[in-house]
Amino acid sequence: MFNAINSYRASLGLAPVKYHATVASLAQDWSNNIATREVIQHRANFWTDPRALNPNNGAGEVIAVRWDRDAAQLVEWWKGSPGHDALLRDPRFNVMGIGITYTDGNWQTTPNRYTLWGVVNFFGYTSLPAGTTNAPGGTVTPPTDPIGACQPGAKYQPPTVNLSSASIRSAADLVSVAADGTVYSYPSLGNAKYGAARKIGIGFTGLKELFVNDWDRDGVFDLIYQRTDGALLVYPGRQSGGFGSPGVLGHGWQSLNIAVGNWCANNRLPQIVAMDASGGLWLYQNAGMTYIRSQAAIGTGNKAVRLSMVDYNADGFQDLLTVEPNGSLRLYRGSGLATPKQEARPIVGAAWTDYSGLRSLRGVTGANTTGIAGLGTNGVLEYWDLTTGRLTTPIAVGGGWTGYKLAQ
């Protein structure tokens, strides 16, 4: 792909674009990310990532997919698209990074799944950053996971299934638990509107937190049930509706604040990030429907009463939001690795103890949008769109939720 792009530029009398391994790690992370989610989506504000190395003369991104594994043919597709072609031939760009992800799609048996995902990030610099090379194979090593806790044990590619009969039908749906342990789902209607409550479960008493995620990556949303007695259970969702018998993920979880999501960019299974009473952060790998036995310390932070996982800054990687006892909302930015970014953790909100629950949502206000819902102690449910990479003015989704617990 690198040679094909520069051959095309040479045919137009343009200077070749050089290569940087750190920039390439940025492109590779995003290629892995969208291939995992099976979504063709540009990464917002990618030029602000530290791995972009502070470009000051333009930035661009091209993405394409193929059924075969001929990466050079992605360039031919970009050449035929005016918008993409303009980036290939932009004279300002002098460095690029390439990300290629191969998956196990088959056009005959999995028609919605491609086998090759390609991302190229182009940047322009007045002065080339240190480590720039004329071609791939330079000496700069891209960032690696210092702990190695994110490495997947196997490859997982969730099927694309029809969820019209499932209890939870989209990543934008809301789920609540009543005081008597009854679980309800509220189907998303788009534009931050929701349909009538549907009863989807009973018996969820002794609840500390309830989480919604596709834990086993079969394409159907599951319920992860953290009990006050320390048990952690997962109820597998059924495509036809309802949930199967629970799997036991562990015991002794009662003192931990946890969040469930795709913290590791290179692992298609969701993971659990937990904060203990002293502010220590821990990562637990997904072992399927069986007992979790892998634990890794990934950092420390300020003591908190609540922990949530969401792509706060719209860079394609999950971040952590903690609610501290004084109501401060603190951000721990993720980078797709096991450890959060090593930087100051800013306070991005105040008075968040007024909210008894937070839930990360996708697609509430439009395709591929990201945001977070908060249930106030007054029973009003609000939604903040995070597509711009920061908290915006909340939208009131509905009221009358007093006595209910919002699933994360």
Side-chain angles (χ1 to χ4, degrees):
M1 184 185 291
F2 179 87
N3 291 335
I5 290 173
N6 275 329
S7 293
Y8 178 52
R9 287 175 65 92
S11 72
L12 301 172
L14 297 170
V17 178
K18 298 181 184 295
Y19 182 85
H20 201 294
T22 301
V23 174
S25 71
L26 173 64
Q28 187 63 57
D29 276 349
W30 188 242
S31 179
N32 293 343
N33 186 298
I34 59 175
T36 296
R37 295 184 290 116
E38 297 182 296
V39 174
I40 300 173
Q41 176 187 7
H42 284 286
R43 179 179 177 183
N45 306 321
F46 64 91
W47 56 89
T48 65
D49 189 288
R51 291 169 294 177
L53 305 175
N54 300 311
N56 61 353
N57 196 28
E61 180 178 77
V62 292
I63 296 174
V65 295
R66 286 186 67 81
W67 286 113
D68 60 28
R69 297 195 168 189
D70 188 346
Q73 289 301 311
L74 298 178
V75 181
E76 296 302 312
W77 188 90
W78 289 324
K79 287 163 61 175
S81 168
H84 296 85
D85 185 57
L87 294 176
L88 296 184
R89 58 168 68 210
D90 193 318
R92 298 175 301 163
F93 299 150
N94 51 10
V95 171
M96 68 172 146
I98 296 171
I100 297 291
T101 303
Y102 297 102
T103 58
D104 55 357
N106 183 304
W107 68 271
Q108 293 176 315
T109 60
T110 53
N112 294 319
R113 188 178 305 158
Y114 298 97
T115 63
L116 172 66
W117 298 70
V119 175
V120 180
N121 289 138
F122 294 100
F123 298 112
Y125 304 89
T126 303
S127 298
L128 290 175
T132 300
T133 59
N134 290 329
T139 58
V140 177
T141 302
T144 57
D145 188 343
I147 295 177
C150 279
Q151 293 303 317
K155 295 181 179 180
Y156 291 86
Q157 187 78 4
T160 302
V161 299
N162 185 337
L163 296 180
S164 60
S165 298
S167 294
I168 303 168
R169 299 169 181 171
S170 81
D173 289 3
L174 293 168
V175 175
S176 72
V177 186
D180 65 358
T182 302
V183 183
Y184 298 91
S185 70
Y186 305 77
S188 172
L189 304 177
N191 296 318
K193 304 295 183 183
Y194 285 87
R198 299 168 49 248
K199 182 178 177 180
I200 63 171
I202 59 173
F204 284 75
T205 54
L207 176 73
K208 180 173 181 178
E209 294 289 349
L210 188 67
F211 303 86
V212 177
N213 212 297
D214 183 7
W215 181 257
D216 56 3
R217 293 295 273 176
D218 65 351
V220 185
F221 291 100
D222 311 314
L223 295 177
I224 296 93
Y225 177 23
Q226 184 187 16
R227 294 174 50 90
T228 53
D229 64 6
L232 186 66
L233 311 174
V234 56
Y235 287 77
R238 294 172 173 160
Q239 186 179 355
S240 58
F243 299 88
S245 299
V248 179
L249 301 184
H251 294 91
W253 291 75
Q254 65 269 29
S255 63
L256 296 173
N257 291 313
I258 71 174
V260 182
N262 290 95
W263 178 251
C264 297
N266 67 335
N267 193 331
R268 294 171 180 171
L269 287 173
Q271 303 90 39
I272 295 175
V273 175
M275 178 175 278
D276 62 28
S278 64
L281 288 167
W282 302 86
L283 177 66
Y284 297 84
Q285 280 194 326
N286 188 328
M289 303 298 290
T290 60
Y291 216 90
I292 295 174
R293 301 188 184 279
S294 173
Q295 177 194 52
I298 61 172
T300 58
N302 293 46
K303 295 180 182 180
V305 298
R306 186 172 301 281
L307 177 69
S308 295
M309 191 185 303
V310 63
D311 181 9
Y312 180 89
N313 56 352
D315 65 353
F317 299 119
Q318 293 295 296
D319 308 303
L320 300 175
L321 289 174
T322 63
V323 179
E324 297 178 359
N326 63 359
S328 294
L329 186 69
R330 192 177 297 274
L331 172 65
Y332 297 72
R333 290 200 303 158
S335 63
L337 305 177
T339 54
K341 290 187 176 181
Q342 302 303 303
E343 60 184 10
R345 278 74 183 261
I347 292 175
V348 294
W352 281 77
T353 46
D354 292 343
Y355 294 91
S356 61
L358 300 174
R359 169 153 160 71
S360 172
L361 297 169
R362 290 187 60 83
V364 172
T365 55
N368 300 319
T369 58
T370 299
I372 191 165
L375 176 57
T377 52
N378 59 358
V380 175
L381 188 69
E382 296 179 302
Y383 175 77
W384 290 261
D385 186 274
L386 292 172
T387 305
T388 60
R390 59 183 179 85
L391 287 172
T392 55
T393 302
I395 301 169
V397 173
W401 283 59
T402 301
Y404 289 83
K405 194 172 187 68
L406 178 66
Q408 291 197 46

